[in-house]
Amino acid sequence: MTDLSGLEAELRGVVRGEVGFDVTARALVTMDASNYRRVPVGVVAPRDADDVAAVLEVCRARGVPVVARGGGTSIAGQATGTGVVLDFTRHLNGLLELDPATRTAVVQPGLVLDRLQEAAAPHGLRFGPDPSTHSRCTLGGMIGNNSCGSHSVAWGTTADSVRELSVITARGQRLRLGRDWAGAPDGLRELAEGELARLRTGFPDLPRRISGYALDALLPEKGADVARSFCGSEGTLGILTEAVVRLVEAPRARALAVLAYGDESAAAEAAAGLLPLGPLTVEGMAADLVRSRAGLPKGGAWLFVETGGETAAEARARAEAIVRAADVVDSLVVTDAAAQRALWRIREDASGTATRMPDGSEAWPGWEDCAVPPARLGPYLRDFRALLAAHGLRGTPYGHFGDGCIHVRIDFDLLTEAGIGRFRRFSEELADLVVAHGGSLSGEHGDGQARAELLPRMYGEETVRLFERAKAAWDPDDLLNPGMLVRPAPLDTNLRFSALPPRPVDVAFGYPADGGDFRAAVRRCVGVAKCRTSTVAGPAVMCPSFRATGEEEHSTRGRARLLHEMLAGELVTDGWRSTEVRDALDLCLSCKGCRSDCPVGVDMATYKAEFLHHHYEGRRRPAAHYSMGWLPVWLRWVARTRTAPLLNRLAAVRPFARLGKRLGGIAPEREIPRVAPEPFSRWWRRRKRRTAGDLVVLWPDTFTEHLSPSVGQAAVRVLEDAGLRVVLPPSRPFGGQVCCGLTYISTGQLDRARTVLRRTLDLMEPVLRRGAPVVVLEPSCAAALRADLPELLHDDPRATRLASAVLTFAEALERHAPDWTPPAVNRPVAGQTHCHQHAVLGDSADRRLRASAGLSGELSGGCCGLAGNFGFEQGHFEVSKACAEEQLLPSVRDAAEGTVVLADGFSCRTQLEQLAGVRGRHLAEVLAEGLETPGKDTGVGPG
């Protein structure tokens, strides 16, 4: 009988780590990356093994189940539970020892795989298995699921890399598992020795047999390896607290052969034949999963075959030998490390892109990783395709073709009773098909709830009863992750979709990619947790607030989970008024990085604006929503009254500035930006303008107009030098000016935003009729017009017309002045690509323009941290600063003297000035100065 009364207090009394029984803590772990959802009673982040033992003792006495959880990316439901969830990522996440001589490492269960790889790399070593979630999956989770990854054809599964394991059983025994029965609990040896014939004959001999318990590892001829048999037990046998793992020697050089085939069947047939050539990987995927085929050889499916060697020439020679041995449509051999990483990202992102069919409809896991003998992969895939067609389902297989392991997301209908019934029937028939081909129901991710019910079809009833006896030897009270592997819950129960409301909720945005359904938008997050990556690679942005805080609550996935629970109404019971959701969204920078970097295109900036719109409907808002949300109104008033000099003088007087910031909800650490004495449009009206050339409309965004008119002036100089005729949008006296609505959208004042945008569309009617391009200098405003405008005014066709007319500064020059040659600035650059440009607009044209002007080098990724109003709001300064310190500020500090510090966004320039004392410049300013003074040093060094 489960006794929950006083459980939280008792745990707090014996645990040194965090104990969370609040709504937020529980909501964040109701789901993993599977189709399943369970609501826990609480979450504990243990500091050490003693904490784990204390939790187990308390929970055993009260009959409360315990579930161990790492990164939460399990795809079969095994990282969810109804009892106490142990979160190992917060404290038990260390690399305790790394011994290059013995090629071993001692790790704690919460250690993220990439951190181990980074520590091993200087010694020429690495951990062999590497799932596509390597940037956030934990060693404990990998051991629990016996994870594999793309290099398993060379280095095997996690079980192949485990030497010893320290575990605590549900009854408090501390065991050190190893070979020769080391650490075996009472009764396990007797059980195994009494079933030797079954252990020798009842387990398929497959490189990717992950399903069930690995009891055959207990055979005497296999060394009676208790540690290996524990791998893949999904937290049902004991709680891992420490592991000794084996490392392998990493090749000094690598090459990647990308082999193109006509279709996936041809690629699957070819994969096994490449294994004798000793590749490190043989990964396959079809064209349906590729967002862009840029960089890939021509074909309908590809094998990614990596080779290694002592030298680049040796690695390349091996890759070329594989190309010669393969019968391909086309091929490509890549030795450049950056180019290889770009190609591997295509493959790694498939776990997310596969969740959407080519037509945008949803697809789900459930049959994510079946494995068959590699030589049977081609016939199996043909039968698998036939079974899909027979059930009217679709899915695009990809994955570890060299090991016969296939990943696929299928467009199951898991929302209706009929669809769930079809899901069950298909699952039962597919299980029989996999077994008929000599395969394993799970080839990497474990059985969990998704497949455990079907294990008798693979192993037979007697072997499954043996699994139950093994579970009883380890955990006689069935305390650890009950319902997984043995005595499982039915595969069609606990579905996470069933908790959502049956009808769509009223929302302001159109959500065109989700059929206008906010529930479907929230369902986009499937839990692959790319947003939990602790370091950003290349130009990526997502998720700056998670990297600054390390808290799941402040990741894109965490916020999506809370929104899901808000819609479900079981844990979060006050809907749009929820303070838990509000607080989680408070540190969302609205950088839009997830819109592009999330493999499934979650757009948390839009979800945040939607939530704030409903949360504050009919209620008083925070002061910052009035001071900064209505910034265009206040700045236009200052311009009309010509009080900018007075305002600037008052802002320079400390008491007045302090009072103004307190009243406006502005962080006291911030300086109030100076307002330009003369707005950009006033300068424009008094100058002589060019009357010839192709027409472009220059958008006077709020920041260019009132805070940095020099950017607009510079843009006019460059556009006219390029032979273009520049005009401003039509305006009317007393407030009739265009506005993108950005500040209203970011603060969730969507009714006001719609009013402003409809007025803008009225003013832009003549421009839209002429089809003139609209050049927007501020990236955040351009992104608002291109993305937010048509999604917010989805009922107005003019919105789409204006969005399609929007061009960045570089795009305008490239498309409408293709013969123009920019000035030769010839300087290195530093700085950061604006997050909205990265996420919505793209920067290809900017790169080409910089190269033409001799501006060399790369801009960093990440987010500046100011992000419009975010970094100015009270309570956000430290996170804002941490975001800037991640990439932007170091890149500027490390820049050589004379480097051009580029920052096209007003926020980025303000952050640079206030935190580093550096003047960032818009690309237009740099080019304009180059036109005025050819050959002059236009750079601004970091000093």
Side-chain angles (χ1 to χ4, degrees):
M1 181 69 178
T2 300
D3 178 14
L4 299 181
S5 61
L7 176 62
E8 179 183 5
E10 188 172 356
L11 286 172
R12 290 188 185 279
V14 298
V15 171
R16 295 188 302 113
E18 291 80 9
V19 176
F21 275 55
D22 58 281
V23 168
T24 297
R26 297 164 64 204
L28 293 173
V29 298
T30 55
M31 293 174 276
D32 49 17
S34 72
N35 297 327
Y36 301 100
R37 170 183 175 271
R38 292 178 180 82
V39 180
V41 297
V43 182
V44 175
R47 286 195 175 273
D48 51 27
D50 290 342
D51 270 2
V52 174
V55 171
L56 289 171
E57 182 177 358
V58 170
C59 289
R60 182 176 64 254
R62 293 172 172 270
V64 177
V66 177
V67 177
R69 182 179 173 105
T73 58
S74 292
I75 300 181
Q78 62 266 54
T80 67
T82 57
V84 169
V85 173
L86 295 177
D87 175 8
F88 287 102
T89 62
R90 194 169 303 180
H91 301 301
L92 275 167
N93 56 10
L95 171 59
L96 303 182
E97 182 183 335
L98 195 152
D99 187 345
T102 61
R103 295 183 182 175
T104 59
V106 181
V107 303
Q108 291 180 318
L111 179 67
V112 170
L113 175 59
D114 270 3
R115 305 292 80 76
L116 174 59
Q117 304 290 38
E118 290 163 3
H123 305 287
L125 301 173
R126 57 162 291 144
F127 189 71
D130 57 345
S132 61
T133 54
H134 53 83
S135 63
R136 59 269 193 199
C137 70
T138 63
L139 270 295
M142 293 178 68
I143 291 168
N145 293 337
N146 194 9
S147 300
C148 307
S150 61
H151 288 88
S152 58
V153 294
W155 297 315
T157 71
T158 297
D160 296 313
S161 298
V162 165
R163 292 281 183 86
E164 295 180 340
L165 301 176
S166 296
V167 305
I168 304 177
T169 70
R171 290 192 171 180
Q173 280 186 292
R174 301 195 187 206
L175 305 176
R176 185 79 167 181
L177 314 185
R179 295 174 65 86
D180 297 323
W181 295 109
D186 294 341
L188 184 64
R189 182 170 184 170
E190 292 78 2
L191 181 152
E193 291 180 343
E195 296 281 355
L196 292 179
R198 186 173 301 281
L199 297 185
R200 289 188 173 112
T201 61
F203 292 78
D205 184 17
L206 287 169
R208 287 296 193 99
R209 176 183 38 89
I210 306 299
S211 281
Y213 290 132
L215 297 182
D216 57 324
L218 300 175
L219 286 166
E221 60 267 30
K222 294 186 179 181
D225 195 337
V226 181
R228 187 182 182 94
S229 74
F230 187 89
C231 294
S233 59
E234 302 180 18
T236 61
L237 303 182
I239 303 298
L240 177 72
T241 59
E242 188 176 295
V244 180
V245 297
R246 179 176 65 91
L247 304 176
V248 297
E249 187 173 351
R252 293 180 182 273
R254 301 185 193 213
L256 179 63
V258 184
L259 311 178
Y261 296 86
D263 55 37
E264 74 188 16
S265 294
E269 294 279 4
L274 301 177
L275 298 179
L277 297 174
L280 300 177
T281 68
V282 183
E283 297 289 290
M285 66 186 303
D288 287 350
L289 296 176
V290 180
R291 287 176 173 174
S292 169
R293 300 191 189 186
L296 290 170
K298 294 180 180 179
W302 299 271
L303 291 181
F304 291 64
V305 185
E306 187 179 73
T307 58
E310 284 295 304
T311 65
E314 184 180 346
R316 185 178 187 91
R318 289 176 176 171
E320 290 172 344
I322 284 174
V323 170
R324 288 192 298 272
D327 182 14
V328 296
V329 174
D330 195 6
S331 65
L332 175 71
V333 173
V334 180
T335 55
D336 176 71
Q340 289 184 58
R341 285 194 297 271
L343 288 165
W344 275 123
R345 277 196 293 272
I346 296 173
R347 161 63 185 86
E348 291 174 357
D349 281 350
S351 61
T353 55
T355 64
R356 292 279 157 168
M357 302 303 297
D359 63 2
S361 57
E362 296 168 311
W364 303 106
W367 286 95
E368 177 67 22
D369 62 320
C370 298
V372 299
R376 297 289 306 164
L377 183 59
Y380 166 71
L381 275 180
R382 285 192 292 273
D383 290 347
F384 172 74
R385 284 291 193 185
L387 185 63
L388 281 175
H391 284 270
L393 297 169
R394 296 174 299 163
T396 303
Y398 68 99
H400 313 293
F401 281 24
D403 269 338
C405 181
I406 293 301
H407 297 318
V408 64
R409 301 291 176 103
I410 300 172
D411 65 338
F412 297 121
D413 167 17
L414 298 177
L415 301 173
T416 67
E417 185 175 344
I420 294 171
R422 180 167 60 170
F423 168 59
R424 167 169 282 282
R425 291 191 299 274
F426 175 85
S427 298
E428 293 168 343
E429 292 180 32
L430 180 55
D432 291 338
L433 177 63
V434 171
V435 172
H437 281 275
S440 174
L441 303 186
S442 171
E444 180 165 24
H445 297 144
D447 299 308
Q449 186 178 344
R451 288 176 288 270
E453 181 189 355
L454 303 172
L455 285 177
R457 295 171 182 258
M458 176 180 170
Y459 285 109
E461 296 289 349
E462 288 300 318
T463 300
V464 169
R465 279 195 285 273
L466 183 61
F467 291 161
E468 294 175 359
R469 290 164 58 199
K471 163 75 167 172
W474 284 93
D475 178 22
D477 306 306
D478 200 19
L479 191 76
L480 302 179
N481 215 0
M484 302 296 157
L485 284 177
V486 300
R487 295 180 292 278
L491 60 86
D492 50 0
T493 60
N494 300 318
L495 293 172
R496 67 187 180 103
F497 318 97
S498 62
L500 295 175
R503 289 178 296 278
V505 297
D506 291 333
V507 286
F509 283 98
Y511 303 100
D514 299 293
D517 190 345
F518 187 66
R519 300 171 304 169
V522 171
R523 285 200 305 267
R524 277 183 175 272
C525 180
V526 293
V528 296
K530 190 176 179 181
C531 52
R532 279 180 54 93
T533 302
S534 60
T535 57
V536 68
V541 173
M542 182 185 71
C543 175
S545 54
F546 173 77
R547 291 194 299 276
T549 67
E551 297 289 342
E552 172 83 7
E553 178 183 357
H554 302 303
S555 70
T556 305
R557 182 179 72 172
R559 294 172 180 125
R561 291 291 181 256
L562 280 160
L563 286 167
H564 188 285
E565 295 303 328
M566 179 194 80
L567 293 175
E570 179 183 352
L571 263 177
V572 178
T573 57
D574 44 358
W576 296 111
R577 299 295 200 206
S578 166
T579 56
E580 295 87 2
V581 178
R582 181 201 64 198
D583 291 346
L585 289 169
D586 181 56
L587 290 187
C588 171
L589 286 82
S590 298
C591 66
K592 289 188 177 288
C594 48
R595 186 181 176 107
S596 61
D597 296 350
C598 173
V600 295
V602 169
D603 184 1
M604 194 53 62
T606 297
Y607 304 171
K608 177 181 180 179
E610 184 77 62
F611 175 82
L612 293 176
H613 167 70
H614 296 282
H615 185 76
Y616 288 110
E617 189 172 15
R619 296 200 294 176
R620 183 179 177 182
R621 289 173 166 270
H625 287 197
Y626 301 108
S627 63
M628 287 177 278
W630 284 64
L631 188 65
V633 172
W634 310 135
L635 290 177
R636 282 198 299 270
W637 179 84
V638 170
R640 282 199 302 272
T641 58
R642 299 178 184 262
T643 54
L646 174 62
L647 185 65
N648 292 335
R649 285 197 296 271
L650 290 174
V653 178
R654 188 168 299 175
F656 286 112
R658 197 161 45 235
L659 176 62
K661 285 186 281 189
R662 186 162 61 246
L663 292 175
I666 298 171
E669 300 92 340
R670 287 293 177 187
E671 299 173 22
I672 298 175
R674 292 177 59 83
V675 181
E678 181 182 53
F680 167 66
S681 58
R682 191 176 300 160
W683 169 86
W684 165 264
R685 286 193 295 270
R686 65 177 176 79
R687 72 181 293 274
K688 184 177 181 181
R689 297 187 286 276
R690 182 186 178 97
T691 58
D694 291 345
L695 177 70
V696 295
V697 180
L698 184 61
W699 186 272
D701 64 84
T702 295
F703 308 101
T704 300
E705 171 75 356
H706 299 287
L707 299 172
S708 55
S710 62
V711 172
Q713 295 166 17
V716 170
R717 173 75 178 91
V718 175
L719 292 169
E720 289 187 342
D721 186 81
L724 300 174
R725 180 163 64 94
V726 181
V727 300
L728 266 57
S731 62
R732 296 171 188 156
F734 306 108
Q737 293 175 299
V738 295
C739 178
C740 69
L742 170 68
T743 59
Y744 306 107
I745 294 170
S746 63
T747 54
Q749 300 181 75
L750 300 185
D751 289 336
R752 175 64 183 170
R754 276 193 287 244
T755 299
V756 167
L757 288 170
R758 290 197 191 281
R759 183 189 67 204
T760 293
L761 291 175
D762 292 341
L763 289 169
M764 292 293 289
E765 282 275 16
V767 173
L768 296 176
R769 284 197 296 269
R770 295 185 67 171
V774 179
V775 183
V776 186
L777 301 173
E778 172 64 40
S780 56
C781 295
L785 289 169
R786 195 176 282 182
D788 296 324
L789 167 63
E791 293 177 17
L792 192 56
L793 296 186
H794 47 89
D795 56 344
D796 191 330
R798 299 176 301 171
T800 302
R801 288 163 57 197
L802 177 54
S804 63
V806 168
L807 298 176
T808 66
F809 175 70
E811 288 172 340
L813 289 169
E814 185 172 80
R815 297 185 193 181
H816 295 280
D819 299 326
W820 177 72
T821 301
V825 180
N826 296 329
R827 291 289 183 271
V829 297
Q832 193 170 57
T833 301
H834 193 285
C835 50
H836 287 187
Q837 178 138 20
H838 166 79
V840 178
L841 308 169
D843 68 341
S844 298
D846 294 74
R847 290 173 177 269
R848 290 188 288 269
L849 179 56
R850 294 200 303 266
S852 297
L855 293 166
S856 59
E858 293 292 328
L859 302 183
S860 69
C863 177
C864 77
L866 195 60
N869 58 293
F870 175 85
F872 273 98
E873 291 184 7
Q874 287 180 1
H876 291 174
F877 179 77
E878 291 302 325
V879 170
S880 175
K881 183 179 178 181
C883 292
E885 288 287 359
E886 184 189 19
Q887 287 208 61
L888 175 60
L889 298 186
S891 74
V892 171
R893 292 192 194 108
D894 294 342
E897 192 66 30
T899 296
V900 175
V901 179
L902 284 178
D904 281 0
F906 176 77
S907 290
C908 304
R909 295 194 296 274
T910 302
Q911 188 79 312
L912 282 167
E913 181 180 352
Q914 295 197 359
L915 297 186
V918 171
R919 184 189 169 207
R921 313 175 78 195
H922 194 286
L923 181 57
E925 294 180 288
V926 176
L927 296 182
E929 187 170 335
L931 291 173
E932 297 293 343
T933 54
K936 178 182 176 181
D937 182 347
T938 60
V940 177

